[in-house]
Coordinates of all heavy atoms in Angstrom, one line a residue:
L11 N -47.2 192.3 8.8 CA -46.1 191.6 8.0 C -44.7 192.2 8.3 O -43.8 191.3 8.3 CB -46.4 192.0 6.5 CG -47.6 191.2 5.8 CD1 -47.9 191.8 4.5 CD2 -47.5 189.7 5.8
A12 N -44.6 193.4 8.5 CA -43.3 194.0 8.8 C -42.7 193.6 10.2 O -41.6 193.2 10.4 CB -43.4 195.6 8.8
A13 N -43.7 193.6 11.2 CA -43.3 193.3 12.5 C -42.8 191.8 12.8 O -42.2 191.5 13.8 CB -44.6 193.5 13.5
M14 N -43.2 191.0 11.9 CA -42.8 189.6 11.9 C -41.2 189.5 11.6 O -40.7 188.3 11.9 CB -43.5 188.8 11.0 CG -45.0 188.5 11.3 SD -46.0 187.8 10.0 CE -45.2 186.3 9.7
Q15 N -40.6 190.5 11.0 CA -39.3 190.3 10.6 C -38.3 191.1 11.4 O -38.7 192.1 12.0 CB -39.1 190.8 9.1 CG -40.1 190.3 8.1 CD -40.1 188.7 8.0 OE1 -38.9 188.2 7.9 NE2 -41.0 188.0 7.8
D16 N -37.1 190.7 11.4 CA -36.1 191.7 12.2 C -35.9 192.9 11.5 O -35.7 194.0 12.2 CB -34.7 190.9 12.0 CG -34.7 189.6 13.0 OD1 -35.5 189.5 13.9 OD2 -33.9 188.7 12.7
E17 N -36.1 193.0 10.3 CA -36.0 194.3 9.4 C -37.2 194.3 8.7 O -37.7 193.3 8.0 CB -34.7 194.3 8.6 CG -33.4 194.5 9.5 CD -32.2 194.6 8.7 OE1 -32.5 194.9 7.4 OE2 -31.1 194.7 9.1
V18 N -37.6 195.5 8.3 CA -38.8 195.6 7.5 C -38.4 195.2 6.0 O -37.5 195.9 5.5 CB -39.3 197.1 7.4 CG1 -40.5 197.2 6.5 CG2 -39.7 197.6 8.8
P19 N -39.0 194.2 5.5 CA -38.8 193.9 4.1 C -38.9 195.0 3.1 O -39.9 195.8 3.3 CB -39.7 192.6 3.9 CG -40.2 192.3 5.1 CD -40.1 193.5 6.0
A20 N -38.1 195.1 2.2 CA -38.2 196.1 1.2 C -39.5 196.1 0.5 O -40.1 197.3 0.1 CB -37.1 195.9 0.2
S21 N -40.1 195.0 0.2 CA -41.3 195.0 -0.6 C -42.5 195.4 0.2 O -43.3 196.1 -0.2 CB -41.7 193.5 -1.1 OG -41.7 192.7 0.2
V22 N -42.4 195.2 1.6 CA -43.5 195.6 2.4 C -43.3 197.2 2.6 O -44.4 197.8 2.6 CB -43.3 195.0 3.9 CG1 -44.3 195.5 4.8 CG2 -43.7 193.5 3.6
R23 N -42.1 197.6 2.7 CA -41.9 199.1 2.8 C -42.5 199.8 1.6 O -43.1 200.8 1.6 CB -40.4 199.4 3.1 CG -40.2 200.9 3.2 CD -38.7 201.2 3.6 NE -38.3 200.7 4.8 CZ -38.5 201.3 6.0 NH1 -39.2 202.3 5.9 NH2 -38.2 200.6 7.1
A24 N -42.1 199.2 0.4 CA -42.6 199.9 -0.9 C -44.2 199.9 -1.0 O -44.7 200.9 -1.3 CB -42.1 199.0 -2.1
H25 N -44.7 198.9 -0.5 CA -46.3 198.9 -0.5 C -46.8 199.9 0.6 O -47.6 200.6 0.2 CB -46.8 197.5 -0.1 CG -46.9 196.5 -1.2 ND1 -46.0 195.5 -1.5 CD2 -47.7 196.4 -2.3 CE1 -46.1 194.8 -2.4 NE2 -47.2 195.4 -3.0
Y26 N -46.1 200.0 1.7 CA -46.6 201.0 2.7 C -46.4 202.5 2.2 O -47.3 203.2 2.3 CB -45.7 200.8 3.9 CG -46.2 201.9 5.0 CD1 -47.2 201.6 5.9 CD2 -45.3 203.0 5.3 CE1 -47.6 202.6 6.8 CE2 -45.6 203.8 6.3 CZ -46.8 203.8 7.0 OH -47.1 204.5 8.0
E27 N -45.2 202.6 1.5 CA -44.9 204.1 1.1 C -45.7 204.4 0.0 O -45.9 205.6 -0.4 CB -43.4 204.1 0.8 CG -42.6 204.1 2.0 CD -41.0 204.2 1.7 OE1 -40.7 204.0 0.5 OE2 -40.3 204.3 2.7
A28 N -46.3 203.4 -0.7 CA -47.2 203.7 -1.9 C -48.6 204.1 -1.3 O -49.3 204.6 -2.3 CB -47.2 202.5 -2.8
L29 N -48.9 203.8 -0.2 CA -50.2 204.2 0.3 C -50.5 205.7 0.2 O -49.6 206.5 0.7 CB -50.5 203.8 1.8 CG -50.5 202.3 2.0 CD1 -50.5 201.9 3.4 CD2 -51.7 201.6 1.3
P30 N -51.6 206.2 -0.2 CA -51.9 207.7 -0.3 C -51.9 208.4 1.0 O -51.6 209.5 1.2 CB -53.1 207.9 -1.0 CG -53.8 206.5 -0.9 CD -52.7 205.4 -0.8
H31 N -52.3 207.6 2.1 CA -52.4 208.2 3.5 C -51.9 207.1 4.4 O -52.3 205.8 4.5 CB -53.9 208.4 3.8 CG -54.4 209.4 2.8 ND1 -54.3 210.7 3.0 CD2 -55.4 209.1 1.8 CE1 -54.9 211.3 2.0 NE2 -55.6 210.3 1.3
R32 N -50.9 207.4 5.2 CA -50.2 206.6 6.1 C -50.3 206.7 7.4 O -51.1 207.8 7.9 CB -48.6 206.6 5.7 CG -48.3 206.1 4.2 CD -46.9 206.1 4.1 NE -46.3 207.4 3.9 CZ -46.2 208.1 2.7 NH1 -46.6 207.5 1.6 NH2 -45.5 209.3 2.7
A33 N -49.8 205.8 8.4 CA -50.2 205.8 9.8 C -49.8 207.1 10.5 O -50.5 207.5 11.4 CB -49.5 204.6 10.4
D34 N -48.8 207.9 10.1 CA -48.5 209.0 10.8 C -49.4 210.2 10.5 O -49.3 211.2 11.2 CB -46.9 209.5 10.2 CG -46.9 209.8 8.8 OD1 -47.9 209.3 8.0 OD2 -45.9 210.3 8.4
Q35 N -50.5 210.0 9.6 CA -51.5 211.0 9.5 C -52.7 210.8 10.5 O -53.6 211.6 10.5 CB -52.0 211.0 8.1 CG -50.9 211.5 7.0 CD -51.5 211.4 5.6 OE1 -51.2 210.5 4.9 NE2 -52.3 212.2 5.3
C36 N -52.6 209.7 11.3 CA -53.7 209.5 12.2 C -53.7 210.6 13.2 O -52.7 211.0 13.8 CB -53.4 208.1 12.8 SG -54.6 207.8 14.3
I37 N -54.9 211.1 13.4 CA -55.2 212.3 14.5 C -55.5 211.7 15.8 O -55.9 212.5 16.7 CB -56.1 213.3 13.8 CG1 -57.4 212.7 13.6 CG2 -55.5 213.9 12.7 CD1 -58.6 213.6 13.2
G38 N -55.7 210.4 15.9 CA -56.0 209.9 17.2 C -57.5 210.0 17.7 O -57.8 210.0 18.9
C39 N -58.3 210.2 16.7 CA -59.7 210.5 17.1 C -60.4 209.3 17.7 O -61.4 209.4 18.4 CB -60.5 211.1 15.9 SG -60.8 209.8 14.7
R40 N -59.9 208.0 17.3 CA -60.4 206.8 17.7 C -61.9 206.4 17.4 O -62.5 205.4 17.8 CB -60.4 206.7 19.3 CG -58.9 206.9 19.8 CD -58.8 206.6 21.3 NE -57.5 206.9 21.8 CZ -56.5 206.0 21.9 NH1 -56.7 204.8 21.5 NH2 -55.3 206.4 22.3
S41 N -62.4 207.2 16.3 CA -63.8 206.9 15.9 C -63.8 205.5 15.3 O -64.8 204.7 15.4 CB -64.3 207.8 14.8 OG -63.4 207.9 13.7
C42 N -62.6 205.0 14.7 CA -62.5 203.7 14.0 C -62.7 202.6 15.1 O -63.3 201.5 14.9 CB -61.2 203.5 13.4 SG -59.8 204.0 14.4
E43 N -62.1 203.0 16.4 CA -62.2 201.9 17.5 C -63.6 201.6 17.8 O -64.0 200.4 18.4 CB -61.4 202.3 18.6 CG -59.8 202.5 18.3 CD -59.0 203.0 19.4 OE1 -59.6 203.2 20.5 OE2 -57.8 203.2 19.2
T44 N -64.5 202.6 17.8 CA -65.9 202.3 18.1 C -66.7 201.4 17.1 O -67.6 200.8 17.5 CB -66.7 203.6 18.2 OG1 -66.7 204.3 16.9 CG2 -66.0 204.7 19.2
R45 N -66.1 201.2 16.0 CA -66.7 200.5 15.0 C -66.0 199.1 14.8 O -66.5 198.2 14.1 CB -66.7 201.2 13.6 CG -67.6 202.3 13.6 CD -67.6 202.9 12.1 NE -66.3 203.4 11.7 CZ -65.8 204.7 12.0 NH1 -66.7 205.5 12.6 NH2 -64.7 205.1 11.6
C46 N -64.8 198.9 15.5 CA -64.1 197.6 15.3 C -64.7 196.6 16.1 O -65.0 196.6 17.3 CB -62.6 197.8 15.8 SG -61.6 196.3 15.8
P47 N -65.1 195.5 15.5 CA -65.8 194.4 16.2 C -64.9 193.6 17.2 O -65.4 192.9 17.9 CB -66.3 193.5 15.0 CG -65.5 193.8 13.9 CD -65.1 195.2 14.0
F48 N -63.6 193.9 16.9 CA -62.7 193.0 17.7 C -61.9 193.8 18.9 O -60.9 193.2 19.4 CB -61.6 192.3 16.9 CG -62.4 191.5 15.7 CD1 -62.3 191.9 14.4 CD2 -63.2 190.5 16.0 CE1 -63.0 191.1 13.4 CE2 -63.9 189.7 15.1 CZ -63.6 190.1 13.8
G49 N -62.3 195.0 19.1 CA -61.7 195.8 20.1 C -60.3 196.1 19.8 O -59.5 196.3 20.9
V50 N -59.8 196.3 18.6 CA -58.5 196.6 18.3 C -58.2 198.0 18.7 O -58.9 199.0 18.4 CB -58.1 196.4 16.8 CG1 -56.8 196.9 16.4 CG2 -58.3 195.0 16.4
K51 N -57.0 198.3 19.4 CA -56.6 199.6 19.7 C -55.8 200.3 18.5 O -54.7 200.3 18.4 CB -55.7 199.6 21.0 CG -56.3 198.9 22.2 CD -57.6 199.6 22.7 CE -58.1 199.0 24.0 NZ -59.3 199.6 24.3
V52 N -56.8 200.8 17.6 CA -56.2 201.2 16.3 C -55.2 202.4 16.5 O -54.2 202.4 15.8 CB -57.4 201.6 15.5 CG1 -56.8 202.2 14.1 CG2 -58.3 200.5 15.1
A53 N -55.6 203.3 17.3 CA -54.6 204.5 17.4 C -53.3 204.2 17.9 O -52.3 204.6 17.4 CB -55.2 205.6 18.3
E54 N -53.2 203.2 18.8 CA -51.9 202.8 19.4 C -51.1 202.0 18.2 O -50.0 202.1 18.1 CB -52.2 201.8 20.6 CG -52.6 202.4 21.7 CD -52.9 201.6 22.8 OE1 -52.4 200.4 22.8 OE2 -53.6 201.9 23.8
R55 N -51.9 201.3 17.4 CA -51.3 200.6 16.3 C -50.8 201.5 15.2 O -49.6 201.3 14.6 CB -52.2 199.5 15.6 CG -52.4 198.3 16.5 CD -53.4 197.3 15.9 NE -52.9 196.7 14.6 CZ -52.2 195.7 14.6 NH1 -51.8 194.9 15.6 NH2 -51.9 195.2 13.3

């Protein structure tokens, strides 16, 4: 949702900041990628 806009919308930022655990906490273990049925490179995202 954020990447579609020139600037991150305030509402999207607010929802993101309200998450108890955010992307910067990712440790890059990539275990999620082994379970993704669509081959998403989760750690990169």
Side-chain angles (χ1 to χ4, degrees):
L11 290 171
M14 292 167 59
Q15 311 295 326
D16 293 333
E17 294 184 5
V18 177
S21 59
V22 175
R23 181 178 294 280
H25 279 101
Y26 178 78
E27 291 178 351
L29 294 174
H31 303 281
R32 297 187 284 274
D34 59 350
Q35 293 178 261
C36 174
I37 59 174
C39 69
R40 300 183 186 273
S41 62
C42 51
E43 296 181 2
T44 68
R45 292 186 292 273
C46 177
F48 307 117
V50 174
K51 302 300 183 184
V52 178
E54 294 177 14
R55 285 178 64 90

